C-alpha cells in the first residue's frame, strides 16, 4: 500500500501513541467537583456516556476533510472515520438492497450522535426502513435537542414519513418516535436481566417480525461480557421473534495483547475507559465464535480495518481519499487499523418469507483469515 492510499486517521492516533497526547481533555474538564459525590458506578457510566463525544469528533473531522459525505454530522459534535464508516455502510447497503422493497429494521445499540439514519434517508427518502437508536437518556436527550433545533434534521425525518405529525417527542425530551425513526432512552443493561422476567422495556414501533440488523459500533465493548451476551440474547430471542432473520454488525477494538494493543489499553485506562469485553473477544476468530455462540449461525465474518481498506474500498475511492491528505506515518496507521475490526453474523428466519435475506446480502463479503495460530475453522 502506498502512503498516498492511506486515509487520515489522525484523530485517533494521539490516543494510541505511546506517551502520546491523551485525547478528550474535554472528558476531564467536564468531570468537575460536583461529581465528587457520585458513586463509582455513576462515575464510570459518565465516562462511557462521554465516549460518544470522541466518536463524533472523529466523524466530524472525516467529514470536514472531505472523506465522508455526511452533512448531517455537523449539528453534532462527533466524528467517525472513513474506513470504518465505509465498511459498515457497505454491509448495511447490501442488506437494504436485498429485496429492496420489503421492510427492514435496524437497531443501533449505543448510537450516540451517529447520523447514519439521516444519510440513508437523504439518499433514498422512500426506503422501507424502521430505524431504532438506543442510548442512555442523557445522550438521547442531547440528540433529540439537536434534532429539534436543526431544521435540516427535522425535515429529513419528516421526508421519510407519510404524515409529518407521526413524529413525536416525549415531554421529557429524551425520546423520539415515528414509524421510521426512533430514539429510545435506555440503559442497555436493563436488557441483560433475568431472561425469564416477564417485563421488557417498551420500545415503540419496534417490530419483532421484520428482518432486523443489530449494530454495535463501539458500544457492547463497554459492558461486561455477561451483560453484553445477555443483551444480545434478549434482543434476538425475546424482543425479536426467534423465527425472524437477524444479524449483528460489531465494530470494536481487538488484539490487546501485542505491544501496540497494550499501549492502547493503557492510554484508554488513563482516561478511565475500560473496554470490558476486549480480553474475551480479542481476535477475529473470537469475534466470529462469539457471533456463532450468540445464535448468528447462518454465517459469520470478520476483518480488521486495515484489511477493509485494502480489500473493500474500491481503487477509485482510495485515490479520491488519497488526494485529500496523506498520512505521514503509514506504519503507525496500519498498526492502528489492525487493532479495530468489523465482525458480522446472521441467523436465517425459519419459514419466514425473507428467510435467507442476510445470506444473500452478504454472500460476497470477503472475510479475513484468522490470526496466525488460531483455529481456521
Ligand atoms: C464510543 S460511543 C459510540 C457511539 C456511536 N455508536 C458511534 O459509533 O458513533 C459509545 C456509546 O455507547 C453508549 N453506551 C455504552 N453503554 C451503554 C449502556 N449500558 N446503555 C446505553 N448506551 C450505552 C454510550 O452512551 C455511547 O453513546
Amino acid at each position: 500500500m502506498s502512503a498516498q492510499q492511506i486515509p487520515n486517521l489522525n484523530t485517533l492516533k494521539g490516543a494510541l501513541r505511546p506517551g502520546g497526547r491523551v485525547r478528550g481533555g474535554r472528558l476531564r474538564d467536564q468531570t468537575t467537583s460536583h461529581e465528587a459525590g457520585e458513586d463509582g458506578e455513576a462515575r464510570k457510566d459518565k465516562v462511557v456516556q462521554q465516549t460518544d463525544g470522541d466518536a463524533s469528533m472523529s466523524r466530524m473531522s472525516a467529514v470536514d476533510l472531505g472523506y465522508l459525505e455526511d452533512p448531517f454530522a455537523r449539528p453534532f459534535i462527533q466524528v467517525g472515520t472513513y474506513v470504518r464508516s465505509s465498511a459498515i455502510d457497505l454491509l448495511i447497503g447490501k442488506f437494504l438492497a436485498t429485496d429492496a422493497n420489503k421492510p427492514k429494521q435496524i437497531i443501533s445499540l449505543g448510537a450516540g450522535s451517529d447520523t447514519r439514519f439521516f444519510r440513508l434517508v437523504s439518499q433514498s427518502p422512500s426506503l422501507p426502513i424502521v430505524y431504532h437508536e438506543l442510548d442512555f437518556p442523557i445522550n438521547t436527550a442531547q440528540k433529540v435537542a439537536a434534532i429539534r433545533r436543526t431544521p435540516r434534521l427535522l425535515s429529513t425525518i419528516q421526508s421519510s414519513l407519510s404524515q409529518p405529525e407521526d413524529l413525536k417527542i416525549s415531554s421529557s425530551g429524551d425520546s423520539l418516535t415515528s414509524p421510521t425513526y426512533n430514539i429510545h432512552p435506555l440503559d442497555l443493561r436493563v436488557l441483560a436481566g433475568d431472561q425469564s422476567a416477564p417485563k421488557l422495556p417498551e420500545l415503540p414501533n419496534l417490530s419483532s417480525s421484520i428482518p432486523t440488523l443489530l449494530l454495535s459500533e463501539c458500544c457492547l465493548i463497554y459492558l461486561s461480557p455477561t451483560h453484553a451476551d445477555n443483551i444480545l440474547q434478549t434482543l434476538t430471542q425475546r424482543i425479536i421473534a426467534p423465527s425472524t432473520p437477524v444479524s449483528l454488525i460489531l465494530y470494536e477494538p481487538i488484539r490487546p495483547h501485542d505491544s501496540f494493543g497494550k499501549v492502547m489499553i493503557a492510554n484508554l485506562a488513563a482516561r478511565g475507559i475500560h473496554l470490558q469485553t476486549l480480553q474475551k473477544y480479542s481476535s477475529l476468530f473470537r469475534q466470529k465464535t462469539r457471533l456463532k455462540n450468540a445464535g448468528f449461525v447462518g454465517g459469520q465474518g470478520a476483518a480488521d480495518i486495515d484489511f477493509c481498506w485494502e480489500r473493500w474500498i474500491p481503487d477509485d475511492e482510495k485515490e479520491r481519499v488519497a488526494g485529500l491528505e496523506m498520512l505521514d506515518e503509514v506504519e503507525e496507521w496500519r498498526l492502528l487499523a489492525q487493532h479495530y475490526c468489523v465482525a458480522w453474523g446472521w441467523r436465517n428466519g425459519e419459514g419466514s418469507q425473507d428467510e435467507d435475506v442476510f445470506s444473500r446480502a452478504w454472500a460476497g463479503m470477503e472475510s479475513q483469515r484468522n490470526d496466525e495460530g488460531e483455529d481456521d475453522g
Side-chain angles (χ1 to χ4, degrees):
M1 181 191 299
S2 82
Q4 305 210 334
Q5 292 176 310
I6 312 276
N8 187 329
L9 291 180
N10 284 333
T11 46
L12 286 174
K13 289 201 306 180
L16 297 163
R17 184 182 293 146
R21 172 175 74 96
V22 175
R23 281 200 310 121
R26 202 172 70 75
L27 295 181
R28 293 241 173 85
D29 301 343
Q30 289 179 356
T31 311
T32 51
S33 54
H34 77 274
E35 290 158 23
E38 285 178 344
D39 64 29
E41 285 309 310
R43 248 197 318 271
K44 280 187 207 156
D45 282 357
K46 184 157 278 188
V47 173
V48 170
Q49 288 152 6
Q50 290 172 339
T51 60
D52 181 49
D54 285 8
S56 66
M57 298 249 290
S58 308
R59 190 176 310 116
M60 274 311 297
S61 65
V63 171
D64 284 345
L65 294 170
Y67 299 115
L68 286 171
E69 281 180 34
D70 187 355
F72 300 105
R74 268 169 212 288
F76 304 111
I77 336 157
Q78 310 197 2
V79 193
T81 64
Y82 169 79
V83 184
R84 155 223 186 143
S85 292
S86 303
I88 295 172
D89 283 354
L90 189 64
L91 285 161
I92 292 180
K94 284 182 182 282
F95 167 52
L96 297 177
T98 305
D99 305 333
N101 297 323
K102 291 196 179 169
K104 303 203 172 58
Q105 180 166 254
I106 295 180
I107 303 177
S108 175
L109 310 176
S113 47
D114 180 60
T115 48
R116 182 169 274 106
F117 169 79
F118 296 90
R119 279 193 284 135
L120 289 174
V121 164
S122 68
Q123 282 153 15
S124 33
S126 56
L127 205 60
I129 194 177
V130 192
Y131 204 100
H132 298 270
E133 299 185 343
L134 278 51
D135 211 305
F136 285 109
I138 192 163
N139 282 3
T140 59
Q142 280 173 16
K143 188 164 194 173
V144 171
I147 290 170
R148 266 185 146 147
R149 64 172 179 263
T150 311
R152 191 167 183 190
L153 295 174
L154 265 181
S155 64
T156 302
I157 302 173
Q158 276 160 349
S159 73
S160 71
L161 300 170
S162 42
Q163 312 270 357
E165 60 275 16
D166 283 345
L167 175 62
K168 302 211 162 48
I169 291 175
S170 65
S171 54
S172 51
D174 58 5
S175 142
L176 180 152
T177 56
S178 81
T180 53
Y181 182 52
N182 299 273
I183 301 180
H184 306 289
L186 184 76
D187 181 338
L188 289 165
R189 289 169 296 192
V190 169
L191 304 179
D194 180 356
Q195 294 297 313
S196 59
K199 208 160 149 43
L200 285 169
E202 225 187 298
L203 298 168
N205 302 311
L206 198 144
S207 163
S208 70
S209 59
I210 57 179
T212 299
L213 185 153
L214 303 170
L215 178 62
S216 168
E217 282 188 79
C218 275
C219 172
L220 290 176
I221 196 154
Y222 293 108
L223 296 150
S224 72
T226 308
H227 279 164
D229 293 351
N230 288 352
I231 288 166
L232 290 178
Q233 196 183 339
T234 302
L235 282 163
T236 57
Q237 298 298 325
R238 300 187 64 202
I239 292 182
I240 309 294
S243 57
T244 302
V246 181
S247 68
L248 172 64
I249 298 177
L250 292 159
Y251 166 77
E252 49 191 49
I254 49 166
R255 301 184 178 131
H257 301 123
D258 61 18
S259 52
F260 191 92
K262 285 180 186 154
V263 170
M264 176 169 83
I265 291 173
N267 286 354
L268 290 169
R271 298 166 55 193
I273 296 175
H274 180 206
L275 305 176
Q276 296 194 56
T277 65
L278 181 56
Q279 300 294 335
K280 186 168 179 192
Y281 304 125
S282 58
S283 65
L284 300 177
F285 174 68
R286 286 181 174 219
Q287 290 284 10
K288 284 184 282 187
T289 307
R290 164 198 200 168
L291 287 160
K292 202 173 189 174
N293 291 342
F296 299 101
V297 293
Q300 313 84 33
D304 68 31
I305 291 298
D306 185 34
F307 183 91
C308 292
W309 169 255
E310 291 273 8
R311 308 295 284 256
W312 291 16
I313 307 286
D315 285 346
D316 56 348
E317 188 55 8
K318 279 187 189 142
E319 269 166 37
R320 182 183 77 83
V321 169
L324 295 169
E325 200 172 331
M326 280 196 305
L327 196 80
D328 44 354
E329 294 157 83
V330 176
E331 286 313 313
E332 188 180 352
W333 184 84
R334 292 200 63 170
L335 261 177
L336 169 62
Q338 285 159 6
H339 286 78
Y340 282 81
C341 85
V342 175
W344 64 100
W346 69 93
R347 79 165 180 225
N348 295 318
E350 278 166 38
S352 121
Q353 263 192 339
D354 311 295
E355 187 166 336
D356 59 349
V357 57
F358 288 107
S359 302
R360 284 182 286 128
W362 293 343
M365 292 306 302
E366 191 183 4
S367 188
Q368 189 175 359
R369 282 176 62 90
N370 294 329
D371 292 338
E372 212 167 303
E374 289 187 327
D375 193 332
D376 263 332

mmCIF file of all heavy atoms in Angstrom, residues 332-355:
data_model
loop_
_atom_site.group_PDB
_atom_site.id
_atom_site.type_symbol
_atom_site.label_atom_id
_atom_site.label_comp_id
_atom_site.label_asym_id
_atom_site.label_seq_id
_atom_site.Cartn_x
_atom_site.Cartn_y
_atom_site.Cartn_z
ATOM 1 N N GLU A 332 2.346 3.388 11.307
ATOM 2 C CA GLU A 332 1.557 3.639 12.520
ATOM 3 C C GLU A 332 0.071 3.518 12.223
ATOM 4 O O GLU A 332 -0.700 2.968 12.988
ATOM 5 C CB GLU A 332 1.875 5.024 13.084
ATOM 6 C CG GLU A 332 1.227 5.213 14.444
ATOM 7 C CD GLU A 332 1.516 6.580 15.042
ATOM 8 O OE1 GLU A 332 2.334 7.324 14.474
ATOM 9 O OE2 GLU A 332 0.895 6.893 16.066
ATOM 10 N N TRP A 333 -0.313 4.066 11.053
ATOM 11 C CA TRP A 333 -1.736 3.970 10.701
ATOM 12 C C TRP A 333 -2.162 2.521 10.544
ATOM 13 O O TRP A 333 -3.202 2.112 11.016
ATOM 14 C CB TRP A 333 -2.036 4.734 9.404
ATOM 15 C CG TRP A 333 -3.512 4.683 9.145
ATOM 16 C CD1 TRP A 333 -4.458 5.505 9.675
ATOM 17 C CD2 TRP A 333 -4.224 3.706 8.382
ATOM 18 N NE1 TRP A 333 -5.719 5.121 9.274
ATOM 19 C CE2 TRP A 333 -5.595 4.009 8.480
ATOM 20 C CE3 TRP A 333 -3.828 2.604 7.620
ATOM 21 C CZ2 TRP A 333 -6.592 3.266 7.849
ATOM 22 C CZ3 TRP A 333 -4.826 1.854 6.991
ATOM 23 C CH2 TRP A 333 -6.185 2.187 7.102
ATOM 24 N N ARG A 334 -1.300 1.736 9.886
ATOM 25 C CA ARG A 334 -1.659 0.329 9.662
ATOM 26 C C ARG A 334 -1.786 -0.420 10.976
ATOM 27 O O ARG A 334 -2.692 -1.217 11.175
ATOM 28 C CB ARG A 334 -0.602 -0.344 8.779
ATOM 29 C CG ARG A 334 -0.625 0.205 7.371
ATOM 30 C CD ARG A 334 0.019 -0.739 6.421
ATOM 31 N NE ARG A 334 -0.714 -1.992 6.352
ATOM 32 C CZ ARG A 334 -0.470 -2.933 5.457
ATOM 33 N NH1 ARG A 334 0.480 -2.767 4.568
ATOM 34 N NH2 ARG A 334 -1.166 -4.038 5.447
ATOM 35 N N LEU A 335 -0.857 -0.131 11.881
ATOM 36 C CA LEU A 335 -0.920 -0.776 13.198
ATOM 37 C C LEU A 335 -2.229 -0.438 13.890
ATOM 38 O O LEU A 335 -2.902 -1.306 14.440
ATOM 39 C CB LEU A 335 0.231 -0.263 14.075
ATOM 40 C CG LEU A 335 1.456 -1.136 14.180
ATOM 41 C CD1 LEU A 335 2.511 -0.448 15.030
ATOM 42 C CD2 LEU A 335 1.091 -2.495 14.777
ATOM 43 N N LEU A 336 -2.562 0.817 13.851
ATOM 44 C CA LEU A 336 -3.819 1.249 14.458
ATOM 45 C C LEU A 336 -5.001 0.529 13.813
ATOM 46 O O LEU A 336 -5.859 -0.041 14.498
ATOM 47 C CB LEU A 336 -3.971 2.771 14.282
ATOM 48 C CG LEU A 336 -5.329 3.377 14.616
ATOM 49 C CD1 LEU A 336 -5.659 3.167 16.083
ATOM 50 C CD2 LEU A 336 -5.341 4.861 14.290
ATOM 51 N N ALA A 337 -4.995 0.509 12.486
ATOM 52 C CA ALA A 337 -6.121 -0.074 11.756
ATOM 53 C C ALA A 337 -6.240 -1.578 12.018
ATOM 54 O O ALA A 337 -7.323 -2.148 11.956
ATOM 55 C CB ALA A 337 -5.970 0.202 10.262
ATOM 56 N N GLN A 338 -5.113 -2.203 12.335
ATOM 57 C CA GLN A 338 -5.155 -3.644 12.624
ATOM 58 C C GLN A 338 -5.732 -3.928 14.012
ATOM 59 O O GLN A 338 -5.961 -5.068 14.382
ATOM 60 C CB GLN A 338 -3.745 -4.235 12.516
ATOM 61 C CG GLN A 338 -3.305 -4.372 11.065
ATOM 62 C CD GLN A 338 -1.804 -4.462 10.907
ATOM 63 O OE1 GLN A 338 -1.055 -4.536 11.878
ATOM 64 N NE2 GLN A 338 -1.346 -4.453 9.666
ATOM 65 N N HIS A 339 -5.957 -2.889 14.770
ATOM 66 C CA HIS A 339 -6.480 -3.075 16.126
ATOM 67 C C HIS A 339 -7.952 -2.732 16.262
ATOM 68 O O HIS A 339 -8.480 -2.587 17.367
ATOM 69 C CB HIS A 339 -5.628 -2.290 17.132
ATOM 70 C CG HIS A 339 -4.305 -2.965 17.361
ATOM 71 N ND1 HIS A 339 -3.260 -2.879 16.471
ATOM 72 C CD2 HIS A 339 -3.885 -3.788 18.356
ATOM 73 C CE1 HIS A 339 -2.243 -3.603 16.911
ATOM 74 N NE2 HIS A 339 -2.593 -4.173 18.051
ATOM 75 N N TYR A 340 -8.608 -2.551 15.126
ATOM 76 C CA TYR A 340 -10.067 -2.365 15.120
ATOM 77 C C TYR A 340 -10.656 -3.319 14.113
ATOM 78 O O TYR A 340 -10.080 -3.508 13.033
ATOM 79 C CB TYR A 340 -10.437 -0.935 14.718
ATOM 80 C CG TYR A 340 -10.259 0.058 15.846
ATOM 81 C CD1 TYR A 340 -9.007 0.577 16.139
ATOM 82 C CD2 TYR A 340 -11.344 0.444 16.625
ATOM 83 C CE1 TYR A 340 -8.832 1.469 17.185
ATOM 84 C CE2 TYR A 340 -11.183 1.335 17.665
ATOM 85 C CZ TYR A 340 -9.924 1.844 17.945
ATOM 86 O OH TYR A 340 -9.762 2.717 18.981
ATOM 87 N N CYS A 341 -11.778 -3.931 14.449
ATOM 88 C CA CYS A 341 -12.367 -4.856 13.489
ATOM 89 C C CYS A 341 -13.852 -4.626 13.288
ATOM 90 O O CYS A 341 -14.533 -4.041 14.125
ATOM 91 C CB CYS A 341 -12.123 -6.301 13.904
ATOM 92 S SG CYS A 341 -13.317 -6.952 15.061
ATOM 93 N N VAL A 342 -14.298 -5.067 12.138
ATOM 94 C CA VAL A 342 -15.732 -5.174 11.860
ATOM 95 C C VAL A 342 -16.029 -6.670 11.832
ATOM 96 O O VAL A 342 -15.311 -7.429 11.187
ATOM 97 C CB VAL A 342 -16.077 -4.547 10.491
ATOM 98 C CG1 VAL A 342 -17.546 -4.760 10.158
ATOM 99 C CG2 VAL A 342 -15.741 -3.066 10.478
ATOM 100 N N ALA A 343 -17.049 -7.088 12.568
ATOM 101 C CA ALA A 343 -17.454 -8.500 12.537
ATOM 102 C C ALA A 343 -18.954 -8.540 12.260
ATOM 103 O O ALA A 343 -19.688 -7.663 12.711
ATOM 104 C CB ALA A 343 -17.140 -9.178 13.869
ATOM 105 N N TRP A 344 -19.372 -9.547 11.508
ATOM 106 C CA TRP A 344 -20.785 -9.637 11.171
ATOM 107 C C TRP A 344 -21.240 -11.092 11.178
ATOM 108 O O TRP A 344 -20.459 -11.994 10.875
ATOM 109 C CB TRP A 344 -21.069 -8.965 9.813
ATOM 110 C CG TRP A 344 -20.396 -9.620 8.636
ATOM 111 C CD1 TRP A 344 -20.951 -10.484 7.742
ATOM 112 C CD2 TRP A 344 -18.997 -9.465 8.233
ATOM 113 N NE1 TRP A 344 -20.015 -10.862 6.807
ATOM 114 C CE2 TRP A 344 -18.819 -10.259 7.077
ATOM 115 C CE3 TRP A 344 -17.919 -8.730 8.738
ATOM 116 C CZ2 TRP A 344 -17.587 -10.348 6.427
ATOM 117 C CZ3 TRP A 344 -16.695 -8.828 8.090
ATOM 118 C CH2 TRP A 344 -16.544 -9.620 6.949
ATOM 119 N N GLY A 345 -22.478 -11.292 11.584
ATOM 120 C CA GLY A 345 -23.014 -12.645 11.607
ATOM 121 C C GLY A 345 -24.527 -12.567 11.511
ATOM 122 O O GLY A 345 -25.114 -11.532 11.797
ATOM 123 N N TRP A 346 -25.144 -13.665 11.113
ATOM 124 C CA TRP A 346 -26.599 -13.633 10.954
ATOM 125 C C TRP A 346 -27.211 -15.002 11.202
ATOM 126 O O TRP A 346 -26.530 -16.017 11.178
ATOM 127 C CB TRP A 346 -26.972 -13.150 9.546
ATOM 128 C CG TRP A 346 -26.628 -14.127 8.450
ATOM 129 C CD1 TRP A 346 -27.437 -15.085 7.919
ATOM 130 C CD2 TRP A 346 -25.367 -14.240 7.753
ATOM 131 N NE1 TRP A 346 -26.768 -15.781 6.938
ATOM 132 C CE2 TRP A 346 -25.507 -15.285 6.812
ATOM 133 C CE3 TRP A 346 -24.150 -13.557 7.831
ATOM 134 C CZ2 TRP A 346 -24.460 -15.670 5.958
ATOM 135 C CZ3 TRP A 346 -23.119 -13.935 6.986
ATOM 136 C CH2 TRP A 346 -23.281 -14.977 6.066
ATOM 137 N N ARG A 347 -28.500 -14.960 11.483
ATOM 138 C CA ARG A 347 -29.278 -16.204 11.504
ATOM 139 C C ARG A 347 -30.379 -16.051 10.470
ATOM 140 O O ARG A 347 -30.896 -14.949 10.248
ATOM 141 C CB ARG A 347 -29.863 -16.464 12.898
ATOM 142 C CG ARG A 347 -31.101 -15.658 13.200
ATOM 143 C CD ARG A 347 -31.892 -16.172 14.410
ATOM 144 N NE ARG A 347 -33.056 -15.336 14.603
ATOM 145 C CZ ARG A 347 -33.455 -14.867 15.770
ATOM 146 N NH1 ARG A 347 -32.802 -15.155 16.879
ATOM 147 N NH2 ARG A 347 -34.543 -14.130 15.852
ATOM 148 N N ASN A 348 -30.723 -17.149 9.832
ATOM 149 C CA ASN A 348 -31.816 -17.127 8.880
ATOM 150 C C ASN A 348 -33.127 -17.261 9.644
ATOM 151 O O ASN A 348 -33.135 -17.673 10.803
ATOM 152 C CB ASN A 348 -31.658 -18.270 7.875
ATOM 153 C CG ASN A 348 -30.416 -18.070 7.016
ATOM 154 O OD1 ASN A 348 -30.140 -16.956 6.573
ATOM 155 N ND2 ASN A 348 -29.657 -19.137 6.795
ATOM 156 N N GLY A 349 -34.216 -16.866 9.017
ATOM 157 C CA GLY A 349 -35.519 -16.988 9.676
ATOM 158 C C GLY A 349 -36.172 -18.289 9.267
ATOM 159 O O GLY A 349 -36.189 -18.617 8.091
ATOM 160 N N GLU A 350 -36.676 -18.991 10.237
ATOM 161 C CA GLU A 350 -37.280 -20.289 9.906
ATOM 162 C C GLU A 350 -38.653 -20.085 9.313
ATOM 163 O O GLU A 350 -39.539 -19.536 9.975
ATOM 164 C CB GLU A 350 -37.413 -21.139 11.161
ATOM 165 C CG GLU A 350 -36.151 -21.850 11.533
ATOM 166 C CD GLU A 350 -36.251 -22.371 12.949
ATOM 167 O OE1 GLU A 350 -37.338 -22.827 13.335
ATOM 168 O OE2 GLU A 350 -35.232 -22.283 13.658
ATOM 169 N N GLY A 351 -38.807 -20.523 8.088
ATOM 170 C CA GLY A 351 -40.129 -20.469 7.457
ATOM 171 C C GLY A 351 -40.563 -19.055 7.097
ATOM 172 O O GLY A 351 -41.659 -18.861 6.585
ATOM 173 N N SER A 352 -39.733 -18.061 7.391
ATOM 174 C CA SER A 352 -40.136 -16.705 7.045
ATOM 175 C C SER A 352 -39.867 -16.480 5.562
ATOM 176 O O SER A 352 -38.970 -17.080 4.964
ATOM 177 C CB SER A 352 -39.379 -15.702 7.924
ATOM 178 O OG SER A 352 -38.630 -14.826 7.153
ATOM 179 N N GLN A 353 -40.659 -15.600 4.980
ATOM 180 C CA GLN A 353 -40.520 -15.284 3.553
ATOM 181 C C GLN A 353 -39.130 -14.758 3.238
ATOM 182 O O GLN A 353 -38.590 -14.974 2.176
ATOM 183 C CB GLN A 353 -41.510 -14.179 3.219
ATOM 184 C CG GLN A 353 -42.808 -14.633 2.637
ATOM 185 C CD GLN A 353 -43.533 -13.419 2.087
ATOM 186 O OE1 GLN A 353 -43.261 -12.293 2.478
ATOM 187 N NE2 GLN A 353 -44.439 -13.664 1.163
ATOM 188 N N ASP A 354 -38.612 -14.020 4.199
ATOM 189 C CA ASP A 354 -37.322 -13.368 3.978
ATOM 190 C C ASP A 354 -36.189 -14.202 4.563
ATOM 191 O O ASP A 354 -35.135 -13.686 4.901
ATOM 192 C CB ASP A 354 -37.312 -12.002 4.670
ATOM 193 C CG ASP A 354 -38.543 -11.201 4.339
ATOM 194 O OD1 ASP A 354 -38.688 -10.847 3.169
ATOM 195 O OD2 ASP A 354 -39.351 -10.945 5.252
ATOM 196 N N GLU A 355 -36.480 -15.475 4.698
ATOM 197 C CA GLU A 355 -35.623 -16.400 5.420
ATOM 198 C C GLU A 355 -34.119 -16.149 5.250
ATOM 199 O O GLU A 355 -33.384 -16.002 6.215
ATOM 200 C CB GLU A 355 -35.971 -17.805 4.937
ATOM 201 C CG GLU A 355 -35.287 -18.869 5.695
ATOM 202 C CD GLU A 355 -35.924 -20.235 5.424
ATOM 203 O OE1 GLU A 355 -37.103 -20.307 5.037
ATOM 204 O OE2 GLU A 355 -35.195 -21.209 5.633
#
